[in-house]
Amino acid sequence: MAQSETRVLTAAIPAALADKLAIMAAERDQSPDAIVRQALSAWVEDEEERYRLTLEAIAQADAGLLVDHADVRAWAESLGSDNPLPMPVPKT
């Protein structure tokens, strides 16, 4: 397998967090670097998805696909009740 190009980043983290990371790495027979890479990759993916969804929501709002606040509130208040309402859908 070809190795991809890498860069070294430096981050100052609290000592307590570094200690926990070292313990977790040892328990999992992994290096702290590997755990940080996994965590950072997951965070970047989450942020990219959040950004994509935000742009999608803005586009839907711009197109007039909105859900009335009263409908959302009624739906939310019905959750956990004996008769939950169906999730409201956007009105055009």
Side-chain angles (χ1 to χ4, degrees):
M1 173 189 241
Q3 214 166 15
S4 62
E5 180 182 339
T6 62
R7 293 186 187 152
V8 174
L9 300 176
T10 302
I13 61 172
L17 181 58
D19 293 343
K20 287 181 183 181
L21 177 62
I23 291 167
M24 292 177 78
E27 290 172 347
R28 289 159 179 77
D29 197 27
Q30 291 184 307
S31 70
D33 287 355
I35 292 175
V36 170
R37 264 192 311 276
Q38 291 170 353
L40 188 55
S41 291
W43 180 81
V44 168
E45 287 178 19
D46 288 349
E47 288 301 308
E48 288 173 337
E49 180 67 1
R50 186 182 338 269
Y51 182 70
R52 185 192 68 74
L53 290 170
T54 298
L55 293 179
E56 182 180 305
I58 290 169
Q60 288 175 346
D62 288 346
L65 297 173
L66 304 171
V67 177
D68 186 73
H69 176 74
D71 293 344
V72 172
R73 187 176 182 112
W75 168 72
E77 289 173 353
S78 78
L79 296 176
S81 72
D82 291 336
N83 297 308
L85 296 172
M87 186 168 45
V89 295
K91 298 176 183 171
T92 54

